[in-house]
């Protein structure tokens, strides 16, 4: 090793001493092959560009990288013909709202954003129980739905007014609440009357079960008599008879017919 | 009407509803959409049936619902009589359903003149009430006597000292 090292050093010595000016321009002759090495295999594993020429027009177009459209791409519209947004709300076209639009029911008849305190205050009293007792189910049902829509209306107006009042304080809550209380009282009275009516029906049914002159199982539509006067006391109550079946509480008694349920609201 | 509905009607029979459906003003939305506040148990199908049967509103296929949680508030109840510190509760969440209308609807405009709702008087009353609460509250001794009343007392004392008025027990 030492001899080789010394021999190479002795070989190079003449080179280093002689090539003082030409060394920067040209490498020595024995180093030329090292500079002529050409890379035959690629360092990169990326597919070369030629392989991507597959006729896909959208190749390289990306919305995420903001590449824009490709050179060969053509859009359906030109930039010159694009519609421009109307930034001024005053210049926008107005929408014609139908007069019979259903959403108008969420507003008061004046069709304002919210009613004035005077308009809210202009209301009557609640319905009373004697007034409601003479009404049938259809009327009560209709009145209930009138109250429901009034509640929706007042709640919508209340929300709109409170949003507007956040900027500048406004009166009107007191009148709206007083109006709502009247509606709530009417609804309470309707439920009272219906409850009263149900108990009246139930009491009548219970007394009819005990009354031997009444046949709860009679089919009136077929001409059978439900009320048989003078039957009571004719014969003593015997087991197994029809009268016994009437008083037998274990038998299924037909429930009170849900009269007036023809108008039903389905959700 | 149920037989003519252009969609399959639901089976929940509600004869006497006791909930409110509130239409909310959403200026940022197009006129073909409407947003409602509904009960939490309300579904999109419920609202479609409700609007169709009660209001004769037909809505498009797009309907979105969203439950917004409320921020926690002090106190155990909604509007406590006095502030309840160290007691916190979260008010009930609100459900919003946005429907696509078949016919566009634009809300009425904000009234130009709000004089009917007395905003000036409302603000004056608020200031007066706040001052009254400060004078009558627990920290009333920390506040100085009102300037006008102070001036009147000074004038009254001066009149008594100069002999222009004579003090009598029990007032005049």
């Amino acid at each position: 090793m030492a001899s080789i090292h010394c021999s190479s050093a002795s070989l190079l010595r003449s080179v280093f001493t002689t090539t003082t000016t030409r060394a920067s321009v040209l490498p020595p002759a024995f180093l030329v092959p090292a500079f002529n090495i050409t890379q035959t295999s690629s360092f990169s594993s990326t597919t070369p560009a030629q392989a991507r020429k597959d006729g896909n027009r959208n190749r390289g177009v990306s919305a995420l990288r903001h590449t824009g459209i490709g050179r060969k791409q053509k859009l359906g519209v030109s930039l010159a013909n694009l519609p421009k947004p109307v930034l001024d709300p005053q210049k926008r076209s107005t929408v014609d709202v139908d007069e019979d639009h259903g959403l108008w029911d969420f507003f008061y008849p004046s069709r304002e954003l919210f009613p004035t305190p005077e308009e809210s205050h202009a209301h009557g009293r609640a319905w009373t129980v004697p007034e409601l007792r003479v009404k049938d189910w259809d009327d009560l049902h209709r009145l209930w739905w009138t109250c429901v829509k009034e509640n929706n209306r007042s709640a919508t107006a209340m929300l709109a007014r409170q949003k507007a009042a956040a900027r500048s304080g406004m009166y009107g809550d007191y009148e709206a609440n007083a109006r709502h209380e009247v509606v709530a009282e009417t609804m309470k009275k309707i439920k009272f009357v219906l409850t009263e009516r149900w108990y009246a029906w139930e009491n009548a049914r219970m007394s009819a079960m005990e009354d031997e002159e009444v046949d709860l199982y009679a089919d009136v539509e077929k001409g059978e008599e439900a009320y048989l006067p003078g039957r009571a006391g004719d014969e003593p109550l015997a087991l197994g008879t029809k009268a016994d079946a009437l008083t037998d509480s274990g038998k299924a008694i037909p429930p009170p017919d849900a009269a007036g349920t023809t108008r039903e609201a389905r959700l | 009407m149920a037989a003519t509905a252009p969609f399959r009607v639901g089976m929940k029979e509600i004869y006497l509803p006791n909930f409110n459906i509130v239409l909310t003003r959403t200026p940022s939305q197009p006129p073909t959409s409407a947003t409602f506040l509904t009960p939490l148990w309300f579904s999109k199908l419920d609202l479609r049936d409700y609007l169709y049967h009660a209001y004769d509103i037909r809505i498009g296929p797009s309907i979105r619902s969203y439950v917004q949680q409320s921020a926690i508030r002090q106190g155990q109840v909604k509007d406590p009589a006095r502030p309840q510190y160290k007691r916190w509760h979260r008010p009930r969440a609100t459900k919003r359903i946005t429907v696509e209308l078949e016919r566009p609807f634009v809300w009425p405009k904000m009234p130009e003149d709000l004089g009917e709702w007395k905003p000036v008087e409302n603000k004056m009353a608020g200031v007066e009430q706040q001052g009254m609460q400060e004078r009558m509250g627990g920290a009333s001794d920390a506040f100085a006597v009102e300037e006008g009343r102070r001036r009147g007392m000074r004038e009254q004392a001066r009149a008594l000292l100069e002999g222009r008025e004579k003090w009598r027990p029990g007032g005049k």
Side-chain angles (χ1 to χ4, degrees):
Chain A
M1 286 295 288
S3 63
I4 293 173
H5 182 259
C6 289
S7 63
S8 62
S10 57
L11 279 172
L12 288 172
R13 188 173 299 123
S14 61
V15 175
F16 289 146
T17 51
T18 52
T19 60
T20 51
T21 55
R22 291 166 54 199
S24 59
V25 180
L26 279 177
F30 69 95
L31 283 180
V32 165
F35 284 94
N36 280 343
I37 289 175
T38 55
Q39 186 72 30
T40 54
S41 62
S42 174
F43 280 115
S44 170
S45 61
T46 311
T47 318
Q50 294 86 355
R52 287 204 172 163
K53 292 189 174 171
D54 52 357
N56 184 0
R57 287 183 173 184
N58 294 332
R59 173 71 62 201
V61 176
S62 167
L64 294 180
R65 290 188 279 115
H66 305 283
T67 58
I69 61 170
R71 279 177 300 174
K72 292 181 180 176
Q73 275 185 322
K74 284 187 179 177
L75 299 178
V77 291
S78 64
L79 289 176
N81 294 337
L82 275 183
K84 288 174 184 168
V86 183
L87 298 177
D88 188 7
Q90 304 295 330
K91 293 179 181 172
R92 289 175 193 161
S93 58
T94 57
V95 177
D96 292 332
V97 184
D98 296 336
E99 287 296 314
D100 59 342
H101 201 290
L103 280 182
W104 283 123
D105 274 0
F106 281 93
F107 296 89
Y108 283 98
S110 62
R111 295 193 173 179
E112 296 289 336
L113 189 56
F114 37 80
T116 64
E118 283 77 13
E119 286 172 354
S120 292
H121 183 64
H123 62 83
R125 59 169 174 79
W127 283 68
T128 61
V129 171
E131 287 168 348
L132 292 173
R133 273 189 187 125
V134 298
K135 301 292 181 186
D136 63 348
W137 161 251
D138 281 349
D139 285 345
L140 293 180
H141 197 200
R142 211 171 288 128
L143 182 58
W144 181 274
W145 270 97
T146 306
C147 293
V148 165
K149 291 180 107 173
E150 166 64 29
N151 276 345
N152 290 348
R153 206 176 288 133
S154 70
T156 300
M158 177 83 88
L159 190 64
R161 187 179 55 250
Q162 284 175 349
K163 273 189 182 179
R167 275 203 305 264
S168 59
M170 291 161 68
Y171 283 113
D173 276 358
Y174 175 80
E175 288 80 3
N177 284 331
R179 186 187 182 96
H180 172 71
E181 279 175 14
V182 169
V183 178
E185 194 183 348
T186 298
M187 295 170 89
K188 206 168 86 177
K189 297 285 172 58
I190 292 174
K191 283 216 167 181
F192 179 88
V193 168
L194 288 175
T195 309
E196 197 181 52
R197 201 167 287 177
W198 186 87
Y199 275 111
W201 173 274
E202 185 65 13
N203 290 342
R205 194 175 67 86
M206 294 300 287
S207 58
M209 282 167 59
E210 295 170 358
D211 193 352
E212 294 179 1
E213 295 183 344
V214 177
D215 185 7
L216 280 180
Y217 294 95
D219 197 347
V220 184
E221 292 180 354
K222 287 182 180 174
E224 297 177 14
E225 289 291 330
Y227 178 55
L228 306 168
R231 205 179 69 164
D234 282 356
E235 56 186 15
L237 189 63
L239 289 175
T241 60
K242 197 175 179 183
D244 180 40
L246 285 178
T247 55
D248 189 1
S249 61
K251 290 242 177 185
I253 301 299
D257 182 24
T261 54
T262 53
R263 280 175 49 84
E264 57 192 27
R266 286 171 180 272
L267 286 189
Chain B
M1 192 177 258
T4 62
F7 49 85
R8 190 175 169 189
V9 174
M11 300 299 289
K12 289 182 199 167
E13 294 181 354
I14 297 180
Y15 292 96
L16 302 175
N18 56 354
F19 52 85
N20 285 348
I21 303 292
V22 185
L23 177 64
T24 60
R25 185 162 177 260
T26 48
S28 60
Q29 289 179 8
T32 49
S33 78
T35 302
F36 298 90
L37 299 185
T38 64
L40 284 174
W41 58 269
F42 233 57
S43 73
K44 298 175 180 179
L45 306 177
D46 290 342
L47 186 68
R48 182 180 64 174
D49 288 19
Y50 185 92
L51 291 179
Y52 180 79
H53 290 120
Y55 287 92
D56 195 16
I57 297 171
R58 301 192 177 198
I59 63 174
S62 168
I63 179 166
R64 313 191 291 277
S65 70
Y66 169 61
V67 175
Q68 187 179 26
Q69 197 180 29
S70 302
I72 54 173
R73 289 182 49 166
Q74 267 192 350
Q76 269 192 326
V77 292
K78 191 183 172 194
D79 292 317
R82 53 179 61 90
Q84 296 174 317
Y85 305 109
K86 298 185 185 176
R87 286 172 182 250
W88 292 86
H89 79 289
R90 189 183 293 281
R92 187 171 292 177
T94 52
K95 185 165 197 171
R96 294 155 195 276
I97 303 186
T98 302
V99 304
E100 181 189 350
L101 301 169
E102 278 199 355
R103 296 192 289 172
F105 183 80
V106 181
W107 271 60
K109 286 182 181 174
M110 182 84 178
E112 301 266 333
D113 180 24
L114 293 178
E116 294 269 353
W117 293 269
K118 312 256 189 255
V120 181
E121 287 83 349
N122 187 285
K123 184 169 282 186
M124 286 166 59
V127 171
E128 177 63 26
Q129 193 175 5
Q130 191 178 358
M132 175 76 85
Q133 284 178 355
E134 285 176 356
R135 287 195 296 276
M136 302 290 288
S140 59
D141 53 348
F143 292 97
V145 184
E146 193 192 356
E147 180 62 30
R149 192 161 166 236
R150 197 188 300 170
R151 207 178 295 124
M153 286 164 65
R154 192 185 300 136
E155 180 65 30
Q156 199 177 11
R158 188 175 294 134
L160 281 172
L161 287 174
E162 292 174 356
R164 281 187 278 122
E165 283 185 16
K166 196 173 181 183
W167 182 82
R168 286 194 300 179
K172 293 179 180 179

